[in-house]
Structure formats: C-alpha cells, structure tokens
C-alpha cells in the first residue's frame, strides 16, 4: 500500500513536471518542448521520493564522502537534515537508495582491477591516437580520427580519444569484476546518456552523429566522475574496540571477518619485505606503459624504416631535375606549412618516370614557399643519380638510407617494447604467484573457499 501511494505520487509529480514542456511543444518549438517535458518528468518523479530534494541529495553525497574519508566526520550526517535526526527513525527511501548506489555494503573494492582497466585503455587509446595523428600528418586518414565535424586539431582529438578509451577501459573492468564501481556506473551512465539525448534532440537539427557524439561525451564524463566518487572508498569500517558477542551469528561472522582481515594484513606485510613486494606495482604499470609506447612507435614506423634501409641496395640510373617546388602540408594544428622538393625524371627499362622524393629524412617546414624552395640543394636542369625500387620503379630517391635520428628513435622504441614486455611478464607472474600463495595461506587457516 505504501509503495502504491509512492508510485501514484511519482506519476503525479511526473505529469506536473512534464506540463511546461508539453505547452512549449504545442505553442512554440516541438523538439525543445519534448526534451523539456521528458527531463521535467524525470526530475519531478525523482523529487517525489520521500526525503529527496536537490539540496538534500547534494548534502548527503558530501556527508558520505566526508564520513568515510575524514576522522570523526560521522556528525556530517546530522547536517544533512539540519540536525534533526529523530531517535529510532527508520531510514527513508532516499537514504537507502543512496547507500545502495554508493555500495556501502561492499567491503572488497577491487580498485586494482579498475586501475588495470584504466591503464590498458590508456595504452591502447594512446597507441591508436598516435597512429591516427601520424597518419593525418602524412596526408592520410586514421582508423578513428579525425572525428566527423570536429574543429579541433588532430592532436587535441587524439588526447580526447586517449582519455575516452582509458575511461571506458576502466568502465569495462568495473562492470566485469568490481561491484563497488558497477552500481554508480549503472546509475550515472544511463542518466547522463538520457540527459544528453534530450539536450541533443532539442538543440540539434540532425538525428544522427551530433546526438551520438553528445551522448558519448556526457556518458564518458559521467563514467569518469562515477569511478572517481566510487574510488573515494565508501567501505564499511568496523570498530576494532567494539565488543563481539560470540553467542550470535552476526558476532561470529564479525569475529571471522576481523581475523581474516588481520591475516591478510600480516601476509601483505610479509610480502612487502621483498623488492618486488614494495615496487612490483610500479614495475607493472611502467612496464605496461613502456611496452605500449614502444609497440605503437614500432608499428607506425616499421614500414617507412624498412623501405629506407632497403633503399641502400636499390639500383641507380641517371636523371635530371625538371623543377623545384614547395609542397603544401598542414601541421597538426591546421596551419599551412611548406617544404621544398626537387622534381626529377628518370628512365628504367625504356619507361619514363617522375618523382619528387629526395630522401627519407625529415625536412624542415616553412610558413612560406620561398624559404621552402631555398632548402632544396638542386636547380632545374641539374643531373642527379636516381635510386629506384626494382619492384616498383616509380618509387625513387636521390639519397638512400634512413635518417639517423629516426633510426635511433626506432631502435629505442624496439628496446622499450622488449624491456616493457619483459618487466610486465615478470611483475605479472609475481602478482599471480602472490595471489595463489595468499589464497593457499588463507585456505590453510580458514578452510577452502573461506
């Protein structure tokens, strides 16, 4: 009966909250009115829950964070209701809902799992963004970038892509194995997506990309905020000085929880005596970062580096420079830049070819064409020695070999990738062995599955 009344109250509030939007849709702007009606109905229905108000929800959230992270801050709960907390009163629905969302009943937060998802997403997104930014810089198109309709530079889009993949890597890990993070995410992400859909529907004339982009942005921001709030640590902290009644089932459970916690702390303290026990987590994350950075650089540079090194063995023919040009290539910020090139012609097996690639080295770029052409050490009519690819004669250069700086960076990337994979493998095997030994230790003390 109580919940029936509550349902009718929520429906009534929802109708009243939707009324301004309905009038707006009929009289002025249908799209804006529908969005306002949906948002108004949702907010009004939430405000119908007993003990709920915008001010009280914000104060209760702040009280939860303060009470669980500051000593002697439990008095902040009294501030939520302006000091009026009747003795013996049962918790209202809004308090119960807030405690469920914040997962105050979950003792194992599994922050390491969420952190691992964030790091994996960061490395994967960084590698993807690096590949796409380099592809765009060379005149191509990346796998994901540039975003449709985006006005930001490829570098800014790459940073946003990296942050988004890191966020959703953490979200995926949280949804799979971290209940303390799962509940805030399951509430925050759909709520943000709903609000973004309504706003996008109201302000956008299109029904596709603009709305989806806004939903992705709002959902990513909400997911990041939800994980940060969950990471504040709303754990149940039992009073070690509180007496335990072993005559009751709850008292026995509390005794074994305390004993198990003390055993875990003793095992962890013993493990930290070793070097890997103290710094193993740092080795794991730094190795993962090194491996990701090295592999991404290796993947984006391997093809051009292989071609540059093979060019030292290409056959050569005589050619002639026909023109000196300034090729236009915008930089990562969309600013026009020019670098000089010599256009030359050559003949291979009776076929005539033309090319303008002088070498595989990086070239200075200028804001104007005049200074760009001054960097070219050739003039029209000069005779040159042309080295061509025997498998593709249209590909040729005037100077063979790779750029020493790029070659050194490529070698460093290979070393980083190898060291990162070795470090990650060693640290991962260590943590897996610690997990197995810890489980065996607790099982020997409390029995299997305890």
């Amino acid at each position: 009966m109580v919940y029936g009344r509550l349902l009718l109250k929520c429906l009534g509030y929802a109708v009243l909250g939707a009324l301004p939007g309905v009038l707006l849709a009929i009289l002025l702007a249908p799209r804006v009115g529908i969005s306002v009606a949906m948002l108004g109905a949702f907010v009004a229905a939430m405000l119908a829950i007993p003990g709920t108000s915008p001010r009280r929800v914000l104060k209760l959230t702040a009280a939860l964070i303060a009470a669980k992270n500051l000593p002697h801050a439990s008095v902040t709960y009294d501030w939520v209701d302006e000091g009026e907390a009747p003795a013996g009163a049962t918790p209202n629905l809004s308090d119960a809902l807030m405690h469920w969302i914040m997962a105050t009943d979950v003792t194992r937060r599994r922050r390491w799992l969420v952190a691992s998802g964030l790091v994996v997403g960061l490395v994967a997104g960084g590698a993807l963004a690096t590949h796409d930014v380099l592809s765009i810089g060379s005149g191509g198109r990346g796998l994901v970038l540039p975003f449709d309709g985006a006005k930001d530079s490829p570098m800014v889009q790459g940073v946003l892509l990296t942050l988004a993949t890191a966020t959703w890597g953490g979200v995926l890990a949280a949804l799979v194995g971290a209940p303390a993070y799962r509940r805030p995410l399951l509430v925050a992400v759909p709520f943000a997506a709903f609000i973004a859909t309504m706003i996008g529907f109201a302000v956008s004339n299109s029904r596709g990309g603009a709305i989806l982009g806004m939903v992705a942005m709002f959902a990513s921001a909400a997911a990041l905020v939800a994980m940060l709030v969950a990471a504040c640590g709303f754990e149940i902290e039992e009073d070690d000085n509180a007496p335990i009644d072993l005559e009751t089932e709850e008292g026995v459970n509390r005794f074994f929880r305390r004993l198990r916690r003390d055993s875990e702390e003793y095992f962890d303290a013993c493990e930290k005596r070793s070097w890997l026990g103290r710094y193993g987590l740092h080795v794991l994350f730094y190795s993962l970062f090194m491996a990701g950075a090295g592999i991404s650089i290796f993947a984006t540079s391997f093809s051009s580096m292989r071609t540059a090194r093979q060019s030292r063995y290409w056959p050569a023919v005589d050619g002639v420079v026909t023109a000196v040009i300034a090729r236009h290539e915008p930089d990562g910020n969309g600013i026009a830049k020019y670098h000089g090139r010599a256009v030359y012609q050559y003949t291979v097996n009776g076929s005539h070819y033309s090319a303008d690639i002088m070498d595989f080295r990086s070239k200075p770029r200028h804001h104007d064409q005049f200074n760009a052409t001054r960097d070219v050490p050739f003039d029209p009519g000069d005779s040159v020695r042309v080295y061509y690819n025997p498998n593709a004669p249209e590909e040729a250069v005037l100077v063979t070999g790779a750029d020493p700086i790029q070659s050194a960076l490529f070698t460093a990337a290979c070393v980083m990738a190898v060291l990162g994979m070795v470090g990650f493998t060693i640290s991962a095997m260590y943590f897996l062995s610690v997990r197995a030994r810890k489980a065996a230790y607790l099982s020997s003390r409390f029995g299997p599955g305890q």
Side-chain angles (χ1 to χ4, degrees), residues 177-199:
Y181 292 80
R182 185 184 304 142
R183 296 180 191 173
L185 287 171
L186 291 178
V187 173
V189 172
F191 178 68
F194 172 75
I195 293 179
T197 302
M198 293 299 100
I199 296 176

Side-chain angles (χ1 to χ4, degrees), residues 427-445:
S427 56
M429 292 178 63
Y430 169 76
F431 282 115
L432 289 176
S433 66
V434 168
R435 185 181 179 89
R437 286 188 282 110
K438 186 175 184 179
Y441 170 74
L442 295 177
S443 177
S444 65
R445 298 204 64 185

Side-chain angles (χ1 to χ4, degrees), residues 130-166:
T130 301
H131 173 271
D132 286 5
V133 170
L134 292 177
S135 298
I136 294 173
S138 61
R141 183 176 178 86
L143 299 175
V144 178
L145 303 179
F147 297 128
D148 293 337
K151 298 181 180 180
D152 297 317
S153 66
M155 185 64 67
V156 174
Q157 296 182 47
V159 172
L160 294 177
L161 176 62
T162 303
L163 293 177
T165 53

Side-chain angles (χ1 to χ4, degrees), residues 268-289:
D268 293 338
C270 293
E271 284 296 329
K272 288 185 177 180
R273 295 176 182 175
S274 64
W275 186 86
L276 274 177
R278 294 192 300 270
Y279 304 107
L281 195 60
H282 298 79
V283 174
L284 179 69
F285 287 148
Y286 289 140
S287 298
L288 190 60
F289 174 78

